[in-house]
Amino acid sequence: MTPALSSLLDDVLRRNAGEPEFHQAAREVLGSLGPVIEANPHYARAAVLERMTEPERQLIFRVPWTDDEGNIRVNRGFRVEFNSALGPYKGGLRFHPSVTLGTVKFLGFEQIFKNALTGLPIGGGKGGSDFDPKGRSDAEVMRFCQSFMTELYRHLGEYTDVPAGDIGVGGREIGYLFGQYKRITNRYESGVLTGKGVGWGGSLVRTEATGFGAVVFAQRMLATRGRSFDGARVLVSGSGNVALYAIQKVHQLGGTVMACSDSSGVVYDRDGIDVELLRRLKEVERARLSEYAARRPSADYRANGDIWALAAETPIDVAIPCATQNELDATAATTLAGNGVAAVVEGANMPCTPEAVHVLRAAGVLFAPGKAANAGGVATSALEMQQNASRDAWTLEYAEQRLDDIMTAIHDSCAETAEQYGAPGDYVLGANVAGFVRVADAMLALGVI
Ligand code: NDP
Ligand code: 2IT
């Protein structure tokens, strides 16, 4: 890192004390930008990075709600509107007990570059709450979502800020949030939220888009080494939205996913994960993953198991972490690299620790950072906004083709940017630089704001 970037990073760390995930994301992005900042002194003169690392607006609010027993509960809500140089703030909402301002800032910061990489007109933002939806009834989730939106609605709008789902927020929550927005504003403003049901303004393929897109990205990356998913054995961590559709796509492309996980344990299925069973359990029954093994004779459940350790027991070609940040550490990376894994593709946001990324790259394992590989979800959200703006609904084939084209374009732009900066195959540098340049150029054009 150049001295100027180091000093900027020191400032960011100092001014955002106690936010380790945001520090990690800032360090990673700034670590890639030395060559582009040196070659383009006008970015430094315009303090582009000083502005880019400071959110345009940060909202923190109280979310009171009543549980089924009549107790009043209080959670904290967040929305970080990070950068709107390219379009309205765009990014998901995460409901998980671990959520803090630092979590939301790391996710919002990553989202700026991810959204720029899609080539679509969307700025970066993120939000959420420390609300834990696990074990809550539909009625409790609805009351929570209504209370959350009763504050947030005033900051949203199809041209202002457009949330979607993330961990703990799926179609059910988006429905309740949209209903409350519509009720308060008296506007059927479809484009204010994405991830809506396909019967009321949602886009086909949005549900599948993040997982599908990550596997399409992986497919393009593997092809650069003459490999494919055909016959590949794969590990996918998590068993939520991203994991589920990553598994489905791997199977469509001729690979087999041997294991997946949740925060309680790991399922290894010697016949390959049965996607339909998993989908029914997770999306319909909202069951724990242990239930999968109970219903599938070819599967074993390991409570508190480590999914990446399986690579030492059985041949694995590709690993796709799709659960949460920092779930794949240096020990796991050493196991993967030491047992012949060809590629690690981040379906989640920042699932690999910096030490893990270092181990993988030093061992020559192909590595795709989340801001490139998981951009298919937000890209399809932007396509949902397009359909809402034109009051149209595209066919499945057209929506899926657009997703495929966007993922291929993101892959190629990361690969070409890495080549251009003398680091062929470095998708981290490629993604950070290509995303940064697009946002920075727009910021320059818009003046000091
Ligand atoms: P879901 O809530 O649908 O699923 C999350 C999965 O990850 C669950 O299996 C969950 O297990 C597991 N998980 C969550 N938190 C932890 C934790 N602290 N430790 C261990 N396991 C955990 O979320 P998504 O699939 O939507 O999101 C997964 C990742 O993908 C996140 O990083 C998200 O930011 C990212 N992402 C999501 C996009 C989307 O469109 N949804 C788009 C791009 C990225 P359990 O049920 O036990 O909690
Ligand atoms: O991390 C992400 O890109 C998402 N959670 C999806 C955001 C969106 O607006 O679709």
Side-chain angles (χ1 to χ4, degrees):
M1 205 181 281
T2 63
L5 283 170
S6 275
S7 133
L8 173 65
L9 179 62
D10 286 346
D11 267 2
V12 170
L13 305 192
R14 185 180 49 75
R15 299 175 73 218
N16 299 278
E19 296 176 355
E21 294 151 330
F22 179 48
H23 296 179
Q24 185 180 332
R27 188 178 284 113
E28 193 248 13
V29 170
L30 296 182
S32 293
L33 298 182
V36 71
I37 297 291
E38 289 209 319
N40 299 279
H42 55 290
Y43 291 142
R45 277 200 300 277
V48 163
L49 271 170
E50 285 79 353
R51 288 189 276 150
M52 220 181 258
T53 47
E54 182 68 19
E56 289 177 19
R57 193 175 295 108
Q58 307 184 55
L59 309 161
I60 305 181
F61 51 96
R62 180 171 67 201
V63 189
W65 56 283
T66 306
D67 70 18
D68 285 346
E69 284 73 49
N71 304 306
I72 295 170
R73 307 266 181 166
V74 179
N75 285 99
R76 189 171 289 175
F78 303 95
R79 186 75 182 163
V80 173
E81 299 183 331
F82 226 119
N83 193 298
S84 60
L86 292 175
Y89 310 107
K90 183 82 197 85
L93 298 171
R94 176 176 293 190
F95 293 170
H96 192 273
S98 65
V99 167
T100 62
L101 178 63
T103 321
V104 177
K105 269 160 83 172
F106 120 65
L107 290 163
F109 186 65
E110 290 286 287
Q111 201 83 43
I112 303 171
F113 307 100
K114 180 194 306 193
N115 293 4
L117 285 170
T118 67
L120 297 165
I122 41 179
K126 200 83 184 191
S129 173
D130 58 0
F131 172 70
D132 186 358
K134 265 194 209 97
R136 291 286 165 205
S137 68
D138 282 356
E140 289 176 317
V141 170
M142 181 181 76
R143 288 195 293 275
F144 176 81
C145 288
Q146 290 177 340
S147 181
F148 186 86
M149 186 53 91
T150 298
E151 170 58 32
L152 192 61
Y153 87 93
R154 70 193 80 244
H155 307 289
L156 305 184
E158 62 179 321
Y159 296 107
T160 308
D161 186 351
V162 181
D166 193 82
I167 290 176
V169 177
R172 174 183 61 172
E173 290 74 20
I174 295 295
Y176 296 147
L177 291 164
F178 183 74
Q180 185 73 348
Y181 183 87
K182 183 177 85 60
R183 185 184 195 189
I184 295 173
T185 60
N186 194 31
R187 281 163 65 83
Y188 205 109
E189 188 186 335
S190 297
V192 74
L193 285 168
T194 60
K196 299 180 294 295
V198 287
W200 46 278
S203 174
L204 287 166
V205 188
R206 174 62 190 90
T207 305
E208 297 86 352
T210 310
F212 275 21
V215 174
V216 170
F217 191 99
Q219 187 188 20
R220 303 283 176 250
M221 194 170 74
L222 286 168
T224 65
R225 297 223 178 137
R227 299 185 62 143
S228 76
F229 274 107
D230 198 20
R233 290 162 62 90
V234 180
L235 298 176
V236 173
S237 66
S239 48
N241 172 269
V242 180
L244 191 53
Y245 294 101
I247 297 171
Q248 185 170 324
K249 193 62 162 186
V250 168
H251 289 176
Q252 275 176 19
L253 295 178
T256 307
V257 175
M258 304 311 301
C260 62
S261 62
D262 65 11
S263 60
S264 310
V266 175
V267 153
Y268 175 78
D269 189 333
R270 57 186 172 279
D271 290 347
I273 298 291
D274 177 339
V275 181
E276 198 35 48
L277 172 59
L278 187 62
R279 197 195 64 75
R280 213 166 47 244
L281 287 172
K282 302 306 288 189
E283 288 186 352
V284 182
E285 299 181 28
R286 297 184 185 276
R288 302 299 296 158
L289 189 59
S290 48
E291 190 55 30
Y292 176 97
R295 296 201 204 168
R296 177 103 166 144
S298 55
D300 297 322
Y301 178 72
R302 300 182 186 183
N304 304 315
D306 170 10
I307 187 168
W308 313 119
L310 287 170
E313 295 173 29
T314 186
I316 295 296
D317 302 291
V318 180
I320 315 183
C322 296
T324 195
Q325 61 273 10
N326 294 325
E327 53 157 314
L328 196 163
D329 63 11
T331 308
T334 305
T335 307
L336 297 175
N339 287 283
V341 167
V344 174
V345 181
E346 293 190 327
N349 284 307
M350 212 168 73
C352 297
T353 64
E355 297 76 24
V357 177
H358 181 76
V359 168
L360 295 171
R361 291 167 63 183
V365 176
L366 285 165
F367 174 72
K371 66 171 73 69
N374 72 35
V378 76
T380 308
S381 279
L383 302 182
E384 183 172 327
M385 291 163 72
Q386 273 185 45
Q387 291 167 77
N388 295 150
S390 57
R391 300 182 187 280
D392 197 1
W394 301 346
T395 62
L396 180 71
E397 293 69 28
Y398 183 66
E400 201 168 350
Q401 189 57 52
R402 289 289 306 265
L403 170 63
D404 219 90
D405 292 347
I406 290 167
M407 293 317 297
T408 303
I410 295 175
H411 171 273
D412 293 353
S413 117
C414 294
E416 283 157 20
T417 306
E419 286 254 5
Q420 189 189 332
Y421 281 84
D426 185 345
Y427 289 86
V428 173
L429 180 132
N432 286 336
V433 171
F436 166 78
V437 166
R438 189 153 186 255
V439 182
D441 288 346
M443 287 177 71
L444 284 178
L446 300 184
V448 179
I449 54 169

